[in-house]
Amino acid sequence: MSLLRKPWIWSFVAAGLVWFVTIMATGGASTIGLTQATLTFAAFSVIVGTGQMFVITLGPGNIDLAVPATMTLAGTVALKYMDTQDALILPGLGIAIGIGIGVGFVNYALIKALRIPPIIATLAMSFIIQSAAIATNRGLRIKPPDAMADFTTGLTLGIPNVALVALGITGVAWVVLMRSVYGRQISAIGQSLPAARMAGLPVDGLRLATYVLCATLAAVCGFLLACFSGGAALNMGAEYLLMSIAVVIIGGTAVAGGDSNVPGIWGASLFMFLVVSMLNTYGFGAGVRLILTGLIIISVILLASGRQGATR
Amino acid sequence: MTATPLLSVTDARVRFGEVRALDGVTLAIRQGECIGLVGHNGAGKSTIVNVINGGLTPQEGQIAADGAPLMHWSVTEARARGLRCVFQELSLCPNLTVTENTRLMHRGSLGGWGWRGRARAVISAALDTVFPGHGINPAATVGALSIAQRQMVEIAMAFSDAGIAPRVVILDEPTSSLDAGLAAQLLDHVRRFVGQGGAVILVSHILGEILNTATRIVVMKDGRIAAERPARAFDTAGLVAAMGSTAKAQARGTQGGRDAAEVLRLTLPRGLPFVARKGEVIGLAGLGGHGQTEALVALFEAASPAWWPARDPAVTFVAGDRRLNGTFDLWSILRNMSVASLPDLARRGLVQAGAEAARGAEWKDRIGIRTPDMGLSILSLSGGNQQKVLFARALSTRAPVVLMDDPMRGVDIGTKQEVYDIIRAEAAGGRTFVWYSTEMDEMTLCDRVYVFRDGIIAADLSGDAISEHAILAASFAGAA
């Protein structure tokens, strides 16, 4: 069956299983609540994960570790600028996007001009961005405009709005990756940078665009998350460092680059949230919960990569 | 012919899915023999070589060594019996030094304390024997060596003796990256080795090498042996006829003239400037590694923007080192071909599957890519067919200048003729070709030849002035 050969199917199987086990524990009482919460929280991972996926597609060594700091800075600055006024929502979003674009440019400038490996360049960049966020925020917690708070916490036809936004973003990302010239070209770069260069591709432009895209999605995610949680906090991006990478890998994207897929990010994001919910539902302590989360992630990756190895 | 064969293969059959790679091949190698193995791309040469060296177990057939049939034949077993193989795709570890690679090759016999010194002695001795005056430092990292030097190391490694003496050496396209001088040194060594009782299987597309070196010639076609005779019973025409292709006399083009429009210029720090005109076929000649590839890359970098997509591509590139800067291994044949012309096949940024497939089908026919389906993986093709895909990739762009970096490595003579014809036709249509090749014959097909020496252009030959003699003279002038 061709569906079983897709590397992303396993993250959905795992997510479905965990969902079922969790529902069982509560006797089906919280089915709708759990599903809505899962969709909401998964949406944030999906948005940052999509950006990270594009960067990972560029091949070995490409990664953006500045994602959490970018989220924090974009959320902080945008909320401070909007100052709870509904009229300033669009310019606020514009500022968040602008921050993302700027961070992406500087990231690639460090990588290219100073020839620093991406993992170091983006990590160094994240300290600078985080410091900028601290300087702007100064510990204040500014509320988001009411309209934004309502939108990010609201539902449309029973589905959380943020999940719909994430769905839209991933829909576009899927088309871009699978069908567009740009998607084809970054996949070429991921397989062999010298070969892509000698095939005449503008490799520097493409890599720059990809780092900008990743930082921009992180900034948009930071903006939404700050509005959703009632204000920007300095540590709000922290958990998305590992999360953004984990959802890409669990989703079946090749770590070595050149072979990525979008649906897997959804499966993996749902799964990651559900595992924590399940372990909470069963009343495990924090220590046990972390150990089990790690073990479950490892087994899903093993399962998915095992299938891939067999079909190639 | 009565001596017991060192190694014999009887009625070997190998299938890869639908493709019948070997269809009943029987071959015996005796002491003091050099077997020349020739045939088209995909004729089964590499497959029989892999069966002999233990890398591939045939679905049917028998292998015997020293007259005794073998139950288990593997690479390890083959090496223990003194069988060595130099592969078409170079197989040294680029991040290790020459000495360290030697240690890896002779795992069993170069272990223990002081292996570094012994490995260095073994490889130095072999290099000195095969390529006197090679100038390769065994402490150098393989990745820092030129492709010719890497091939020299690999060949020397096969002839080196660290406990188990080589008895049968298989050379698969050994001279593809070597210039004429080094190739002659190697073939001299092959004759010496055979004279001392060794055995060699020589696979080559350069028929002169085969005719001058082999004692017996085996011609393969469609997975079978089409002819097998002593070398003296063949001449070039006979060999080409046995392979089933006809050599055509090449007419030199006259389209590109001195007065045509200049399309490309490269000013080198010293020596003559490089100038290319519309419709010219320009050869870059000289000994291997004297700056030809660097000049091609410089031309490419200067004309191909790395930051912005070019609206009208100025140059396109055909790689010679497929694995380094040629193929995209995760992709299909079609995607490998179309990658350089995606903007032309797209509407509003989206690749049009129909247009892409049509372009693929057109070039599959035009350049003769042997595959049932362009959707198959690029790795399903033989080396020569992969090279055709790279040609199709470059020729299907709109770029008016095609840069070629020794693109005929490992391509059979029939395919070469087809590609030469396409190059001539495209040049007649106004395209410019800049062609680096280590094969002298190909230089005589060019309108003009720049001879490189020590990184600079030492001579500019055109028309009838292009000859093997003139090129060699310019390559060596001043060196003596």
Short mmCIF file of all heavy atoms in Angstrom, two decimals, chain B residues 85-126:
data_model
loop_
_atom_site.label_atom_id
_atom_site.label_comp_id
_atom_site.label_asym_id
_atom_site.label_seq_id
_atom_site.Cartn_x
_atom_site.Cartn_y
_atom_site.Cartn_z
N CYS B 85 41.51 -4.58 -7.60
CA CYS B 85 40.62 -3.92 -8.54
C CYS B 85 40.72 -2.40 -8.41
O CYS B 85 40.70 -1.87 -7.30
CB CYS B 85 39.19 -4.37 -8.27
SG CYS B 85 38.07 -3.95 -9.58
N VAL B 86 40.87 -1.71 -9.51
CA VAL B 86 40.81 -0.25 -9.51
C VAL B 86 39.49 0.12 -10.15
O VAL B 86 39.24 -0.20 -11.30
CB VAL B 86 41.98 0.37 -10.30
CG1 VAL B 86 41.84 1.89 -10.34
CG2 VAL B 86 43.30 -0.03 -9.70
N PHE B 87 38.65 0.81 -9.39
CA PHE B 87 37.31 1.06 -9.88
C PHE B 87 37.24 2.31 -10.75
O PHE B 87 38.07 3.20 -10.66
CB PHE B 87 36.33 1.20 -8.72
CG PHE B 87 36.12 -0.08 -7.98
CD1 PHE B 87 36.79 -0.32 -6.80
CD2 PHE B 87 35.28 -1.04 -8.49
CE1 PHE B 87 36.61 -1.51 -6.13
CE2 PHE B 87 35.08 -2.22 -7.82
CZ PHE B 87 35.76 -2.47 -6.63
N GLN B 88 36.19 2.34 -11.57
CA GLN B 88 35.95 3.48 -12.43
C GLN B 88 35.64 4.71 -11.59
O GLN B 88 36.15 5.79 -11.83
CB GLN B 88 34.77 3.14 -13.34
CG GLN B 88 34.56 4.08 -14.48
CD GLN B 88 33.45 3.57 -15.39
OE1 GLN B 88 33.06 2.42 -15.34
NE2 GLN B 88 32.92 4.44 -16.20
N GLU B 89 34.77 4.52 -10.59
CA GLU B 89 34.50 5.60 -9.65
C GLU B 89 35.56 5.49 -8.55
O GLU B 89 35.67 4.47 -7.90
CB GLU B 89 33.10 5.45 -9.02
CG GLU B 89 31.99 5.33 -10.02
CD GLU B 89 31.68 6.64 -10.70
OE1 GLU B 89 32.23 7.67 -10.26
OE2 GLU B 89 30.91 6.63 -11.67
N LEU B 90 36.33 6.52 -8.37
CA LEU B 90 37.44 6.44 -7.43
C LEU B 90 36.92 6.19 -6.03
O LEU B 90 35.90 6.70 -5.63
CB LEU B 90 38.25 7.74 -7.50
CG LEU B 90 38.73 8.05 -8.92
CD1 LEU B 90 39.38 9.42 -8.96
CD2 LEU B 90 39.68 7.00 -9.42
N SER B 91 37.67 5.38 -5.27
CA SER B 91 37.12 4.90 -4.00
C SER B 91 38.03 5.15 -2.80
O SER B 91 37.91 4.48 -1.81
CB SER B 91 36.83 3.40 -4.12
OG SER B 91 38.01 2.72 -4.43
N LEU B 92 38.94 6.11 -2.90
CA LEU B 92 39.76 6.43 -1.74
C LEU B 92 38.97 7.31 -0.77
O LEU B 92 38.05 8.01 -1.17
CB LEU B 92 41.02 7.17 -2.17
CG LEU B 92 41.99 6.41 -3.09
CD1 LEU B 92 43.07 7.34 -3.60
CD2 LEU B 92 42.60 5.24 -2.37
N CYS B 93 39.37 7.29 0.52
CA CYS B 93 38.72 8.17 1.49
C CYS B 93 39.37 9.55 1.40
O CYS B 93 40.56 9.69 1.69
CB CYS B 93 38.88 7.64 2.90
SG CYS B 93 38.20 6.00 3.10
N PRO B 94 38.63 10.58 0.99
CA PRO B 94 39.24 11.87 0.74
C PRO B 94 39.78 12.56 1.99
O PRO B 94 40.65 13.42 1.90
CB PRO B 94 38.11 12.69 0.12
CG PRO B 94 36.87 11.99 0.49
CD PRO B 94 37.21 10.55 0.71
N ASN B 95 39.26 12.20 3.18
CA ASN B 95 39.69 12.90 4.39
C ASN B 95 40.92 12.27 5.03
O ASN B 95 41.43 12.75 6.02
CB ASN B 95 38.54 12.94 5.40
CG ASN B 95 38.02 11.56 5.71
OD1 ASN B 95 38.15 10.65 4.90
ND2 ASN B 95 37.45 11.40 6.88
N LEU B 96 41.42 11.17 4.46
CA LEU B 96 42.59 10.50 5.01
C LEU B 96 43.80 10.75 4.11
O LEU B 96 43.65 11.10 2.94
CB LEU B 96 42.35 8.99 5.13
CG LEU B 96 41.19 8.56 6.02
CD1 LEU B 96 41.10 7.05 6.06
CD2 LEU B 96 41.33 9.12 7.42
N THR B 97 44.99 10.54 4.64
CA THR B 97 46.19 10.71 3.83
C THR B 97 46.38 9.47 2.95
O THR B 97 45.72 8.44 3.14
CB THR B 97 47.45 10.88 4.70
OG1 THR B 97 47.66 9.66 5.40
CG2 THR B 97 47.29 12.02 5.69
N VAL B 98 47.33 9.60 2.02
CA VAL B 98 47.64 8.48 1.13
C VAL B 98 48.09 7.28 1.96
O VAL B 98 47.64 6.15 1.75
CB VAL B 98 48.73 8.90 0.13
CG1 VAL B 98 49.17 7.71 -0.70
CG2 VAL B 98 48.21 10.02 -0.77
N THR B 99 48.95 7.53 2.95
CA THR B 99 49.45 6.46 3.80
C THR B 99 48.30 5.77 4.54
O THR B 99 48.21 4.54 4.59
CB THR B 99 50.44 7.02 4.84
OG1 THR B 99 51.38 7.84 4.16
CG2 THR B 99 51.15 5.92 5.58
N GLU B 100 47.40 6.57 5.08
CA GLU B 100 46.29 6.00 5.85
C GLU B 100 45.37 5.18 4.95
O GLU B 100 44.86 4.13 5.35
CB GLU B 100 45.51 7.12 6.56
CG GLU B 100 46.28 7.69 7.73
CD GLU B 100 45.80 9.06 8.18
OE1 GLU B 100 44.99 9.68 7.46
OE2 GLU B 100 46.26 9.53 9.22
N ASN B 101 45.18 5.65 3.73
CA ASN B 101 44.38 4.88 2.78
C ASN B 101 45.04 3.54 2.47
O ASN B 101 44.35 2.53 2.30
CB ASN B 101 44.17 5.68 1.49
CG ASN B 101 42.90 6.50 1.53
OD1 ASN B 101 41.81 5.95 1.50
ND2 ASN B 101 43.03 7.81 1.63
N THR B 102 46.36 3.55 2.41
CA THR B 102 47.09 2.30 2.15
C THR B 102 46.85 1.31 3.28
O THR B 102 46.61 0.13 3.05
CB THR B 102 48.60 2.58 2.04
OG1 THR B 102 48.80 3.69 1.18
CG2 THR B 102 49.34 1.39 1.50
N ARG B 103 46.88 1.83 4.50
CA ARG B 103 46.63 0.99 5.67
C ARG B 103 45.23 0.37 5.58
O ARG B 103 45.02 -0.80 5.87
CB ARG B 103 46.75 1.85 6.93
CG ARG B 103 46.13 1.30 8.18
CD ARG B 103 47.02 0.23 8.81
NE ARG B 103 46.61 -0.09 10.17
CZ ARG B 103 45.61 -0.91 10.48
NH1 ARG B 103 44.93 -1.49 9.52
NH2 ARG B 103 45.31 -1.15 11.74
N LEU B 104 44.24 1.16 5.14
CA LEU B 104 42.88 0.66 5.02
C LEU B 104 42.81 -0.46 3.99
O LEU B 104 42.12 -1.45 4.17
CB LEU B 104 41.94 1.78 4.58
CG LEU B 104 41.40 2.70 5.64
CD1 LEU B 104 40.43 3.69 5.00
CD2 LEU B 104 40.67 1.90 6.71
N MET B 105 43.52 -0.27 2.89
CA MET B 105 43.47 -1.21 1.79
C MET B 105 44.09 -2.54 2.20
O MET B 105 43.59 -3.60 1.88
CB MET B 105 44.22 -0.61 0.60
CG MET B 105 43.92 -1.30 -0.69
SD MET B 105 42.16 -1.22 -1.02
CE MET B 105 42.20 -0.61 -2.67
N HIS B 106 45.20 -2.45 2.95
CA HIS B 106 45.90 -3.67 3.37
C HIS B 106 45.60 -3.93 4.84
O HIS B 106 46.51 -4.04 5.66
CB HIS B 106 47.41 -3.52 3.16
CG HIS B 106 47.79 -3.36 1.73
ND1 HIS B 106 47.69 -4.38 0.82
CD2 HIS B 106 48.25 -2.32 1.03
CE1 HIS B 106 48.09 -3.96 -0.36
NE2 HIS B 106 48.43 -2.70 -0.26
N ARG B 107 44.32 -3.99 5.17
CA ARG B 107 43.89 -4.14 6.56
C ARG B 107 44.61 -5.28 7.26
O ARG B 107 45.11 -5.14 8.36
CB ARG B 107 42.40 -4.40 6.60
CG ARG B 107 41.61 -3.28 7.16
CD ARG B 107 40.15 -3.64 7.07
NE ARG B 107 39.80 -3.94 5.68
CZ ARG B 107 39.02 -3.18 4.94
NH1 ARG B 107 38.44 -2.14 5.46
NH2 ARG B 107 38.77 -3.49 3.68
N GLY B 108 44.66 -6.44 6.60
CA GLY B 108 45.17 -7.64 7.26
C GLY B 108 46.66 -7.59 7.54
O GLY B 108 47.14 -8.10 8.54
N SER B 109 47.43 -6.95 6.66
CA SER B 109 48.88 -7.12 6.73
C SER B 109 49.63 -5.87 7.18
O SER B 109 50.84 -5.91 7.33
CB SER B 109 49.39 -7.57 5.36
OG SER B 109 48.70 -6.88 4.35
N LEU B 110 48.94 -4.76 7.37
CA LEU B 110 49.66 -3.55 7.77
C LEU B 110 49.26 -3.08 9.17
O LEU B 110 49.31 -1.91 9.48
CB LEU B 110 49.41 -2.42 6.77
CG LEU B 110 50.33 -2.37 5.54
CD1 LEU B 110 49.96 -1.20 4.66
CD2 LEU B 110 51.78 -2.29 5.93
N GLY B 111 48.83 -4.00 10.02
CA GLY B 111 48.39 -3.60 11.36
C GLY B 111 49.56 -3.48 12.32
O GLY B 111 50.72 -3.63 11.94
N GLY B 112 49.23 -3.19 13.58
CA GLY B 112 50.23 -3.20 14.64
C GLY B 112 51.09 -1.96 14.70
O GLY B 112 50.88 -1.00 13.95
N TRP B 113 52.07 -1.98 15.62
CA TRP B 113 52.92 -0.83 15.82
C TRP B 113 53.70 -0.52 14.54
O TRP B 113 54.11 -1.38 13.82
CB TRP B 113 53.90 -1.08 16.96
CG TRP B 113 53.22 -1.02 18.30
CD1 TRP B 113 52.89 -2.10 19.08
CD2 TRP B 113 52.79 0.14 18.98
NE1 TRP B 113 52.25 -1.66 20.21
CE2 TRP B 113 52.18 -0.29 20.19
CE3 TRP B 113 52.84 1.51 18.71
CZ2 TRP B 113 51.63 0.60 21.10
CZ3 TRP B 113 52.30 2.39 19.62
CH2 TRP B 113 51.70 1.94 20.81
N GLY B 114 53.90 0.77 14.32
CA GLY B 114 54.74 1.20 13.21
C GLY B 114 54.10 1.01 11.85
O GLY B 114 54.78 1.00 10.83
N TRP B 115 52.75 0.86 11.80
CA TRP B 115 52.10 0.64 10.50
C TRP B 115 52.28 1.82 9.58
O TRP B 115 52.38 1.68 8.37
CB TRP B 115 50.62 0.31 10.66
CG TRP B 115 49.78 1.41 11.26
CD1 TRP B 115 49.44 1.53 12.57
CD2 TRP B 115 49.20 2.52 10.59
NE1 TRP B 115 48.70 2.65 12.77
CE2 TRP B 115 48.53 3.28 11.58
CE3 TRP B 115 49.18 2.96 9.26
CZ2 TRP B 115 47.84 4.46 11.26
CZ3 TRP B 115 48.49 4.12 8.96
CH2 TRP B 115 47.85 4.86 9.95
N ARG B 116 52.37 3.02 10.18
CA ARG B 116 52.45 4.21 9.36
C ARG B 116 53.72 4.18 8.48
O ARG B 116 53.67 4.43 7.29
CB ARG B 116 52.46 5.45 10.26
CG ARG B 116 51.90 6.68 9.61
CD ARG B 116 51.74 7.78 10.64
NE ARG B 116 50.45 7.74 11.32
CZ ARG B 116 49.34 8.28 10.84
NH1 ARG B 116 49.35 8.89 9.68
NH2 ARG B 116 48.21 8.21 11.49
N GLY B 117 54.84 3.81 9.12
CA GLY B 117 56.10 3.74 8.39
C GLY B 117 56.05 2.69 7.31
O GLY B 117 56.47 2.92 6.17
N ARG B 118 55.47 1.52 7.65
CA ARG B 118 55.43 0.44 6.67
C ARG B 118 54.49 0.77 5.52
O ARG B 118 54.79 0.53 4.36
CB ARG B 118 55.02 -0.88 7.36
CG ARG B 118 56.20 -1.59 8.01
CD ARG B 118 55.78 -2.85 8.71
NE ARG B 118 55.07 -2.55 9.96
CZ ARG B 118 53.96 -3.17 10.34
NH1 ARG B 118 53.42 -4.09 9.59
NH2 ARG B 118 53.38 -2.84 11.49
N ALA B 119 53.34 1.37 5.86
CA ALA B 119 52.38 1.73 4.81
C ALA B 119 52.99 2.75 3.86
O ALA B 119 52.86 2.66 2.64
CB ALA B 119 51.11 2.29 5.44
N ARG B 120 53.72 3.69 4.45
CA ARG B 120 54.36 4.72 3.63
C ARG B 120 55.38 4.08 2.68
O ARG B 120 55.43 4.42 1.49
CB ARG B 120 55.06 5.72 4.57
CG ARG B 120 55.90 6.75 3.86
CD ARG B 120 56.67 7.55 4.90
NE ARG B 120 55.98 8.76 5.28
CZ ARG B 120 56.17 9.94 4.68
NH1 ARG B 120 57.00 10.05 3.68
NH2 ARG B 120 55.51 11.00 5.06
N ALA B 121 56.15 3.11 3.20
CA ALA B 121 57.16 2.45 2.38
C ALA B 121 56.48 1.67 1.24
O ALA B 121 56.90 1.72 0.09
CB ALA B 121 57.99 1.50 3.24
N VAL B 122 55.37 0.98 1.58
CA VAL B 122 54.67 0.16 0.58
C VAL B 122 54.14 1.03 -0.55
O VAL B 122 54.37 0.75 -1.74
CB VAL B 122 53.52 -0.62 1.26
CG1 VAL B 122 52.52 -1.13 0.22
CG2 VAL B 122 54.06 -1.77 2.07
N ILE B 123 53.46 2.13 -0.20
CA ILE B 123 52.83 2.94 -1.24
C ILE B 123 53.88 3.73 -2.02
O ILE B 123 53.76 3.91 -3.23
CB ILE B 123 51.72 3.85 -0.66
CG1 ILE B 123 50.88 4.48 -1.77
CG2 ILE B 123 52.28 4.94 0.23
CD1 ILE B 123 50.09 3.50 -2.58
N SER B 124 54.96 4.18 -1.33
CA SER B 124 56.00 4.91 -2.04
C SER B 124 56.67 4.01 -3.07
O SER B 124 56.91 4.42 -4.22
CB SER B 124 57.07 5.42 -1.08
OG SER B 124 56.49 6.29 -0.15
N ALA B 125 56.94 2.78 -2.66
CA ALA B 125 57.59 1.84 -3.58
C ALA B 125 56.70 1.62 -4.81
O ALA B 125 57.16 1.64 -5.95
CB ALA B 125 57.85 0.52 -2.87
N ALA B 126 55.40 1.43 -4.55
CA ALA B 126 54.48 1.16 -5.66
C ALA B 126 54.38 2.36 -6.59
O ALA B 126 54.41 2.22 -7.82
CB ALA B 126 53.11 0.77 -5.11
#
